[in-house]
Amino acid sequence: QVQLVESGGGLVQAGGSLRLSCVASGRAFSRSSIGWFRQAPGKEREFVAAVSRGGSTTYYADSVRGRFTVSRDNAKSTVSLQMNSLTPEDTAVYYCAAKSTILTYTPRQADEYTNWGQGTQVTVSS
């Protein structure tokens, strides 16, 4: 089992940047793919980015590709999401999630992930 805690959310102006962190506890972290998802009010949870267990494979939603970067440090049991050029459309609660996987398999569907953090609010003002 992996327990996850997100941090780094806040209020930022359009065009600004934030860096979210997802800190994990549990020995399964290094065997887990990590995904980032977000949910805006009145909308369904959507995929943002994901990174494979070793960090060699990453995926991004089209809406964030080129602006967001996901990375991980297995020695520190941490996954980061660097978010640049933020727009009001990025406003949402951001969640990290974990799934024990093999090799570089990296899920992008929320229902494949088994462990979730509590979320951190990101608000981008215009």
Side-chain angles (χ1 to χ4, degrees):
Q1 286 287 340
V2 178
Q3 291 77 45
L4 305 169
V5 178
E6 304 96 334
S7 63
L11 174 64
V12 63
Q13 289 188 332
S17 299
L18 282 174
R19 186 177 182 87
L20 305 184
S21 293
C22 174
V23 179
S25 59
R27 304 177 72 176
F29 175 77
S30 62
R31 300 191 299 272
S32 299
S33 293
I34 303 294
W36 284 96
F37 295 81
R38 65 187 182 187
Q39 188 166 19
K43 295 187 177 181
E44 295 187 352
R45 189 169 298 189
E46 65 173 352
F47 170 75
V48 175
V51 59
S52 61
R53 52 189 272 176
S56 62
T57 301
T58 57
Y59 293 100
Y60 297 94
D62 290 343
S63 59
V64 307
R65 187 176 293 111
R67 300 188 298 124
F68 290 12
T69 302
V70 62
S71 60
R72 69 187 292 162
D73 184 342
N74 283 350
K76 296 182 179 180
S77 297
T78 300
V79 174
S80 299
L81 183 68
Q82 177 66 42
M83 307 187 296
N84 299 328
S85 302
L86 287 162
T87 73
E89 288 68 37
D90 295 315
T91 295
V93 177
Y94 283 71
Y95 301 87
C96 63
K99 175 180 172 57
S100 182
T101 55
I102 60 171
L103 300 177
T104 60
Y105 177 63
T106 310
R108 281 158 281 179
Q109 300 294 323
D111 58 9
E112 291 195 70
Y113 285 87
T114 55
N115 301 87
W116 291 80
Q118 83 290 349
T120 186
Q121 176 70 47
V122 172
T123 303
V124 185
S125 63
S126 58

